[in-house]
Amino acid sequence: KGKSDEAEKVWNEMVSRGSGPDVGAYNVKIMNIQGGDPEGVKALIEEMTDAGLKPDTISYNYLMTCYCKNDLMDEAQKVYEDLEANGCSPNAATFRTLIFYLCKKGRFETGYKVFKESVRNHKIPDFNTLKYLVEGLVKRSKLKDAKGMSRTMKKKFPPNLVQAWTKLEEELGLAKVEAGDNGVQ
């Protein structure tokens, strides 16, 4: 509710009473600064670790999102790549956020690689994120990748979304691309 001063008082009271905040409480604090300075998010993650707590996927997703919002895509990708080393696994929000911002920055090929990892992890992002990605692949004439993505989506999406995806394929001209096409028109 934007009452950060009140929240800080509660936080300090928890600490003074010896019932320090848990990972969830830290994540709420991180959530409130994630659009700002990545160093602030990193500092809170370090504070968690120093307090004997293990940051979770949500903690690292907030850091990754903060980097993305600050146009620091290489740093965001590093957070993603280091998840497993930090004892965490990417979730659907991890993939959705990273793919969306990669597309926003025109990095569709990298977005497609992350998409393939999301499929392997059974954590496929939402329809609109993937629509953004496939449209970008088509604009970049990466038709083989776009068609491969479409085949996957038809296998993974529920029937109501398959219908919408098929319509999108037709709008993008992917329905006409031959299976053996090498992506060159």
Side-chain angles (χ1 to χ4, degrees):
K1 292 185 175 182
K3 297 180 182 180
S4 57
D5 290 341
E6 260 183 70
E8 198 63 38
K9 285 178 191 172
V10 172
W11 183 277
N12 292 333
E13 189 175 325
M14 287 169 57
V15 172
S16 70
R17 290 187 177 188
S19 60
D22 61 7
V23 173
Y26 269 100
N27 283 343
V28 170
K29 196 169 184 179
I30 290 169
M31 176 182 67
N32 285 301
I33 63 168
Q34 72 165 318
D37 178 29
E39 293 305 313
V41 175
K42 279 176 58 177
L44 278 174
I45 288 175
E46 286 176 28
E47 186 180 313
M48 286 171 74
T49 304
D50 293 345
L53 299 171
K54 184 182 169 309
D56 61 10
T57 300
I58 295 167
S59 311
Y60 290 111
N61 279 353
Y62 284 136
L63 178 58
M64 185 183 71
T65 301
C66 191
Y67 280 133
C68 288
K69 288 181 175 181
N70 284 279
D71 296 330
L72 300 168
M73 293 308 299
D74 292 336
E75 290 85 346
Q77 277 186 259
K78 177 101 174 82
V79 171
Y80 164 72
E81 291 164 2
D82 289 346
L83 275 175
E84 287 185 19
N86 288 317
C88 298
S89 297
N91 61 22
T94 309
F95 290 114
R96 179 186 64 238
T97 300
L98 189 55
I99 291 170
F100 172 79
Y101 281 100
L102 285 167
C103 290
K104 193 172 178 180
K105 292 292 167 194
R107 295 166 75 168
F108 299 105
E109 293 83 358
T110 305
Y112 181 64
K113 288 177 187 169
V114 174
F115 161 74
K116 291 194 298 188
E117 290 174 27
S118 78
V119 172
R120 279 193 292 279
N121 282 280
H122 306 288
K123 306 284 185 193
I124 298 174
D126 63 283
F127 183 92
N128 287 329
T129 300
L130 298 179
K131 178 180 183 224
Y132 195 14
L133 176 57
V134 78
E135 288 171 341
L137 290 170
V138 169
K139 284 180 190 165
R140 292 276 171 93
S141 297
K142 298 289 184 182
L143 300 180
K144 184 177 179 184
D145 292 345
K147 190 67 176 172
M149 189 176 160
S150 281
R151 279 192 303 275
T152 301
M153 298 323 309
K154 286 180 176 180
K155 291 177 194 168
K156 302 289 182 182
F157 272 170
N160 62 325
L161 290 179
V162 168
Q163 192 173 8
W165 193 266
T166 301
K167 183 179 177 194
L168 176 62
E169 270 186 326
E170 290 168 5
E171 290 170 7
L172 294 173
L174 288 176
K176 299 173 196 162
V177 177
E178 296 297 320
D181 190 336
N182 64 5
V184 181
Q185 281 189 321

